[in-house]
Amino acid sequence: MSAVLDHHGHDVHDHHDHHAPSGWRRWVFATNHKDIGTLYLLFSFTMLMIGGVLALCIRAELFQPGLQFFNPELFNQFTTMHGLIMVFGAIMPAFVGFANWMIPLQIGAGDMAFARMNNFSFWLLIPAALLLVGSFFMPGGAPAAGWTLYAPLTLQMGPSMDAGIFAMHIMGASSIMGSINIVVTILNMRAPGMTLMKMPMFCWTWLITAYLLIAVMPVLAGAITMTLTDRHFGTSFFNPAGGGDPVMYQHIFWFFGHPEVYIMILPAFGIISQIVPAFARKRLFGYASMVYATASIAILSFIVWAHHMFATGMPVTGQLFFMYATMLIAVPTGVKIFNWLATMWRGSMTFESPMLWAVGFIFVFTMGGFTGLILAMAPIDIQVQDTYYVVAHFHYVLVAGSLFGMFAGYYYWGPKWTGVMYPEWKGKFHFWGSLVTFNITFFPMHFLGLAGMPRRYADYALQFADFNAIASVGAFGFGLMQVWFFLFVVIPMMRGKGEKAPQQPWEGAEGLEWEVPSPAPFHTFEVPPKLNAAATKIIG
């Protein structure tokens, strides 16, 4: 609830209605950005655990050659649902949760612009998640067409495919509403004196991400609606028997899918851009170039989609265009990495948990970026497409990218949210355990892919056995580290157990969020703060 101010700038509301509601009504009818942010984060962690269990089922099956636990049909359902749940249920809602919590605090707004729409956009996710997960219990089992939902497989699936399509529609509607809310909040509700080029980088990355979401979610909706009409209403968009073209689906899907990749990483870039300056105790190097680099990545993401399709018989001219355009994205991404390193250069660095996660992010994300650059080369991609090399690449970008960025953000802002400091050794144990087990899991997959092991196969030849066994052991270790994080870091903080967090737990951190007490009160900035010319202090 944002306060209504009279012409003197005083709050005209009586203060008796400012206490937080309690019980189940507080959460079901939540309009407060902090409560909705918390709901998003809890939902996304639940989906992370469900998607993680599916991943461990996949790795258990692949521990040895031969069929151990699951038949190939069920294995394909696991791979498909693992991808859909992680992308649409875990990563995207988590970043929206961060946006809900932090954007009003960072720009000095009382709340998000559309508080009730904010509530609606969260609660849409629950039926969508139930439809998605519930599809396992439908006749024929869950969708098994890969997370990309390629035709003609999608035209042959059972009724669970329709449930999956409906779930994606609902999640897409939620994303669009959340994005509109973020755009309007950032553009219209900044504190006086906070120009766009004085905004924290996290707000900038989310502003650009929100525009990307608004642009591409309807494209996904179009692709899956065409699939639906092919299945039930006699159209032949993707059915060759009726004159359709399955490759057209790939074009439409990847026109959504490639910007989607950046939707899942740009907010993490924003989080890292907040943390690195705080622990280097320096201002962010090249702030303006960071903003322009983020915008460049977003714009370029629209013209590279067909690098996912080099093996579809594309003419050489097309291959060359998409190859060079893809390699071009390395330039703004390299600018960001250079700026983070330059910020750290000769800084007074300390390595508390948020900084460890940030440095780990930069290191491992850069490795994922390099394998992406290798996959951008059409001749190489034709050799390794649909092998475990691709699986290794996108997990380095999405797990060591998005997920590590989220953990960095949680350790950085968690004390502000809960009012409690986590024990530093627990954060460091989580970091080192995750970093080591992550690399044990996904690094061998590069070699499996180069040796020719195809992805989404439930069985494999004997020569792939050793690396698969190593990867499976690492995966179970990685999963256990995330259970540890929830049980021993998150739950004690949510219950208020631990050392009380100061208002400013990190010495070098700057920004409006550190000007409010820890935990952040239910209503903040009822009178917008006024910023001085340097925009470093609140003066009103």
Side-chain angles (χ1 to χ4, degrees), residues 56 59-60 62-65 388 396 436-448 453 460 463-479:
L56 295 184
R59 287 314 321 168
L62 293 174
F63 181 65
Q64 287 179 305
Y388 266 75
Y396 263 77
V436 170
T437 53
F438 167 80
N439 280 292
I440 290 171
T441 307
F442 294 107
F443 198 72
M445 291 185 190
H446 293 101
F447 303 111
L448 287 170
M453 181 176 164
Y460 53 85
Q463 71 259 32
F464 302 131
D466 292 348
F467 276 155
N468 268 301
I470 293 167
S472 292
V473 170
F476 278 88
F478 188 76

Side-chain angles (χ1 to χ4, degrees), residues 55-206:
L56 295 184
C57 291
I58 293 167
R59 287 314 321 168
E61 178 56 60
L62 293 174
F63 181 65
Q64 287 179 305
L67 293 178
Q68 326 293 326
F69 304 106
F70 310 112
N71 63 36
E73 290 77 21
L74 185 58
F75 182 86
N76 280 345
Q77 292 171 32
F78 285 161
T79 55
T80 301
M81 296 303 290
H82 165 70
L84 289 174
I85 286 169
M86 288 303 202
V87 169
F88 296 103
I91 294 177
M92 290 170 68
F95 279 135
V96 179
F98 275 99
N100 265 294
W101 247 107
M102 295 315 304
I103 286 173
L105 285 181
Q106 289 194 324
I107 65 173
D111 208 311
M112 297 295 278
F114 305 118
R116 284 187 179 82
M117 187 167 86
N118 208 10
N119 174 287
F120 187 45
S121 67
F122 169 74
W123 285 109
L124 278 177
L125 291 176
I126 305 299
L130 292 173
L131 270 174
L132 208 53
V133 177
S135 65
F136 275 110
F137 306 103
M138 293 180 181
W147 85 274
T148 51
L149 304 176
Y150 275 5
L153 285 172
T154 44
L155 309 182
Q156 301 158 6
M157 293 283 139
S160 65
M161 192 69 230
D162 304 318
I165 288 171
F166 194 36
M168 308 270 282
H169 270 301
I170 299 170
M171 285 176 163
S174 165
S175 289
I176 289 170
M177 285 195 286
S179 301
I180 291 168
N181 214 343
I182 287 164
V183 169
V184 175
T185 303
I186 291 176
L187 294 185
N188 289 347
M189 297 179 69
R190 300 190 307 281
M194 181 175 283
T195 61
L196 281 174
M197 293 307 278
K198 286 180 181 169
M199 278 198 314
M201 271 310 299
F202 180 68
C203 297
W204 257 117
T205 53
W206 242 116

Side-chain angles (χ1 to χ4, degrees), residues 39 44 100 113 145 161 167 224 246 288 324 338 363 392 394 442 447 460 490:
L39 286 170
S44 69
N100 265 294
M161 192 69 230
I224 57 179
Y324 293 139
F338 173 80
F363 171 64
F394 69 70
F442 294 107
F447 303 111
Y460 53 85
V490 176

Side-chain angles (χ1 to χ4, degrees), residues 8 10 46 85 137 148 167 171 196 211 216-217 248 250 284 293 296 340 347 357 402 452 465 506 533 536:
H8 294 300
H10 297 304
T46 305
I85 286 169
F137 306 103
T148 51
M171 285 176 163
L196 281 174
Y211 276 116
V216 301
M217 289 315 285
M248 181 170 80
Q250 297 188 29
L284 180 67
S296 305
W340 290 325
W357 282 103
S402 303
W506 317 117
T536 53

